[in-house]
Amino acid sequence: MSTAASAKNGTWRNWGGNVAARPAREVTPASVDELAAAVRKAAEDGLKVKAVGTGHSFTSIAATDGVLIRPHLLTGIRTIDRDSMTVTVEAGTPLKRLNMALAREGLSLTNMGDIMEQTVSGATSTGTHGTGRESGSIAAQIKGLELVTADGSVLSCSEKENPEVFAAARIGLGALGVVTAITFAVEPIFLLTAREEPMSFDKVTSAFDELWAENEHFEFYWFPHTGSTNTKRNNRSAGPEKPVPQLQGWFEDEFLSNGVFQVAQWVGRAAPGTIPSIARISSKALSSRTYTDIPYKVFTSPRRVRFVEMEYAVPREAVVETLQELKTMVDRSGLRVSFPVEVRTAPADDITLSTASGRDSAYIAVHMVKGTPYQAYFTAAERIFTAHEGRPHWGKVHTRDAEYFAGVYPRFGEFTALRDRLDPDRRFQNDYLRRVLGA
Ligand SMILES: Cc1cc2nc3c(=O)[nH]c(=O)nc-3n(C[C@H](O)[C@H](O)[C@H](O)COP(=O)(O)OP(=O)(O)OC[C@H]3O[C@@H](n4cnc5c(N)ncnc54)[C@H](O)[C@@H]3O)c2cc1C
């Protein structure tokens, strides 16, 4: 598995390199029983407990000074049920392994995010999502969950069994227990045709509603300091399969999107004044392409340039105005932003603390390359996002607290009441959860 997060000299670091923690001890349970025993032992020793995935979160949501539970030995597929079209996987399974195993069985998830390095439990616990008109986040595809709660007992939930736990625990922030297995809805594998096409900022924002309505999965990247975007439309296709040829794929996805992009980031970091010119040149170099492939090969791609990210969900009808405000802010500021801004959508879902809970949503994500100061840009962007009742991604940089969340999540109290019931002694607490959920 890709171990993005590292632990050297007892220090745990996340993928973005902006969070570090020193756990009191690490355990790598190989079974649900071992995991439950580790939770009970932590309680005896008066230590907090935190299960981690691959450390791909940019917030300190996965940091702990207590017992760090590693996922590496809780991996693999438990069962595939072709009658109910579900798959049950161990919680530490990397999404990549799940996607590849499903494809071998002729099955697929319906929607996914940009990468597949994360574990299934890590990805779903923070509400990881891609883009979709009807299909929601990865957590919205969950049909059942098994978790070890603070007293070391195993609790199962689904729409029928413990439905109040199911409503919240699909995006549980690691606050309700340690997830040990997840049951996902799957469908027969299908083909998607991707159409990538440059488009002006003015055109994509004026036609956003149609572009969203006409495509199953629509997203675009805006290049700050330019009026250019690159759009991507993914729609189901009857075939034939027409993958990006291997050499072309290497050139476009590895050399241009990762290699040349990395060099441009280094130049921009050394000489920030060159960033607007680099952005204009690179946005002009974009070209259209169309390919047809199985879902995970269309939805996901490698991300080798390390960065730090903030992403907010705003009501979908507010996305164009929010983005225009962001563009005006960047144009008027002295900021130098070398990373594209990503825009995606999700339909309303029924998960208590999902960023799309009860509201059709659009996501706007801002990034800065690792090692460059991001605070000024993110602070200015966050001011714009919160003015539109934005809900930050739980795993991406933000400064919001429990008081704010009580205002933007109508069911916030439902989540905290369940947490009071399942974890009264705050065994799964850390500084981040104290801030976002309250003590
Ligand atoms: C390069 C990159 C690309 C990304 N792309 C996207 C994207 O397209 N869409 C998107 O929405 N996000 C994206 N993200 C964010 C990322 O998907 C989330 O932060 C995700 O939570 C990371 O998963 P992880 O396995 O690394 O979990 P971690 O970051 O290690 O942990 C996240 C949370 O999950 C909890 N957790 C982990 N395992 C368990 C368990 N077994 N039981 C209970 N809680 C558990 C942890 O306690 C923590 O609270 C991206 C991040 C990076 C670095």
Side-chain angles (χ1 to χ4, degrees):
M1 130 178 348
S2 154
T3 45
S6 54
K8 278 191 197 130
N9 307 324
T11 301
W12 175 91
R13 281 180 209 287
N14 68 336
W15 181 92
N18 62 324
V19 180
R22 287 185 74 82
R25 65 171 180 257
E26 285 192 20
V27 290
T28 310
S31 67
V32 176
D33 285 348
E34 278 184 35
L35 197 151
V39 171
R40 282 193 293 267
K41 177 80 173 68
E44 278 165 35
D45 298 344
L47 292 170
K48 304 289 184 197
V49 175
K50 198 86 196 111
V52 287
T54 54
H56 274 67
S57 296
F58 300 96
T59 56
S60 52
I61 191 166
T64 186
D65 56 6
V67 177
L68 183 76
I69 299 192
R70 291 276 187 185
H72 306 80
L73 299 182
L74 278 177
T75 62
I77 293 197
R78 272 195 196 172
T79 51
I80 293 178
D81 183 336
R82 286 180 191 272
D83 293 330
S84 63
M85 286 303 272
T86 57
V87 58
T88 301
V89 280
E90 304 288 343
T93 309
L95 282 168
K96 186 190 234 160
R97 188 163 158 199
L98 171 63
N99 284 332
M100 292 168 90
L102 286 176
R104 272 200 302 275
E105 297 287 336
L107 300 168
S108 176
L109 295 175
T110 301
N111 198 356
M112 52 198 94
D114 287 344
I115 60 160
M116 49 180 186
E117 302 303 317
Q118 315 94 313
T119 59
V120 292
S121 53
T124 54
S125 291
T126 65
T128 296
H129 61 90
T131 191
R133 187 182 55 203
E134 285 96 19
S135 55
S137 70
I138 306 178
Q141 299 167 64
I142 294 179
K143 291 288 172 194
L145 270 182
E146 178 190 272
L147 60 163
V148 168
T149 52
D151 61 5
S153 61
V154 179
L155 177 67
S156 296
C157 64
S158 66
E159 252 168 38
K160 294 215 169 80
E161 190 182 12
N162 298 308
E164 75 296 352
V165 178
F166 183 66
R170 281 172 285 167
I171 299 182
L173 319 183
L176 304 176
V178 181
V179 177
T180 46
I182 303 182
T183 301
F184 289 102
V186 291
E187 55 177 312
I189 199 160
F190 52 95
L191 290 174
L192 282 172
T193 294
R195 167 84 185 146
E196 295 173 11
E197 188 187 352
M199 201 178 278
S200 73
F201 182 89
D202 290 343
K203 186 168 174 203
V204 81
T205 47
S206 59
F208 180 78
D209 288 343
E210 293 95 88
L211 288 163
W212 169 81
E214 286 164 7
N215 294 287
E216 287 166 89
H217 308 272
F218 178 71
E219 67 183 305
F220 67 95
Y221 292 89
W222 164 57
F223 296 84
H225 311 295
T226 78
S228 307
T229 77
N230 201 19
T231 61
K232 187 174 181 193
R233 294 163 236 205
N234 300 331
N235 287 291
R236 286 184 193 226
S237 148
E241 220 166 311
K242 202 166 164 273
V244 180
Q246 221 173 10
L247 190 62
Q248 186 192 345
W250 176 84
F251 183 73
E252 290 169 351
D253 297 329
E254 284 296 342
F255 186 68
L256 293 181
S257 299
N258 285 300
V260 174
F261 188 57
Q262 172 76 77
V263 173
Q265 296 301 324
W266 283 332
V267 173
R269 197 162 71 184
T274 61
I275 286 174
S277 313
I278 294 175
R280 278 190 290 273
I281 294 166
S282 43
S283 66
K284 289 222 167 59
L286 293 170
S287 57
S288 304
R289 63 175 183 171
T290 303
Y291 50 95
T292 301
D293 215 328
I294 58 172
Y296 78 81
K297 294 191 179 171
V298 170
F299 285 127
T300 70
S301 54
R303 296 286 148 98
R304 303 201 204 287
V305 178
R306 300 245 167 171
F307 56 83
V308 179
E309 179 176 352
M310 164 183 281
E311 180 178 56
Y312 267 73
V314 294
R316 202 183 63 234
E317 62 275 12
V319 66
V320 168
E321 193 185 336
T322 312
L323 199 62
Q324 276 159 343
E325 288 170 18
L326 186 74
K327 184 170 188 298
T328 304
M329 182 276 287
V330 172
D331 289 347
R332 288 188 184 157
S333 71
L335 292 167
R336 293 287 175 259
V337 181
S338 57
F339 239 90
V341 170
E342 188 177 17
V343 181
R344 295 179 281 184
T345 67
D349 65 39
D350 63 350
I351 307 171
T352 320
L353 292 189
S354 162
T355 44
S357 187
R359 130 178 147 180
D360 290 335
S361 301
Y363 296 90
I364 304 180
V366 296
H367 314 70
M368 285 293 260
V369 71
K370 183 181 170 187
T372 49
Y374 58 83
Q375 279 84 357
Y377 177 35
F378 284 13
T379 302
E382 190 171 41
R383 206 172 292 132
I384 294 168
F385 298 149
T386 53
H388 291 280
E389 298 193 348
R391 297 169 175 171
H393 189 302
W394 297 105
K396 300 185 185 178
V397 176
H398 69 87
T399 66
R400 300 297 90 191
D401 61 13
E403 195 187 334
Y404 179 84
F405 290 120
V408 295
Y409 282 104
R411 296 167 66 190
F412 187 72
E414 206 182 295
F415 189 97
T416 53
L418 181 68
R419 177 184 185 226
D420 288 345
R421 195 182 100 206
L422 293 181
D423 187 15
D425 300 327
R426 303 291 187 257
R427 185 64 45 220
F428 303 115
Q429 180 81 294
N430 66 1
D431 290 345
Y432 178 85
L433 293 181
R434 194 173 297 113
R435 168 160 71 89
V436 303
L437 297 176

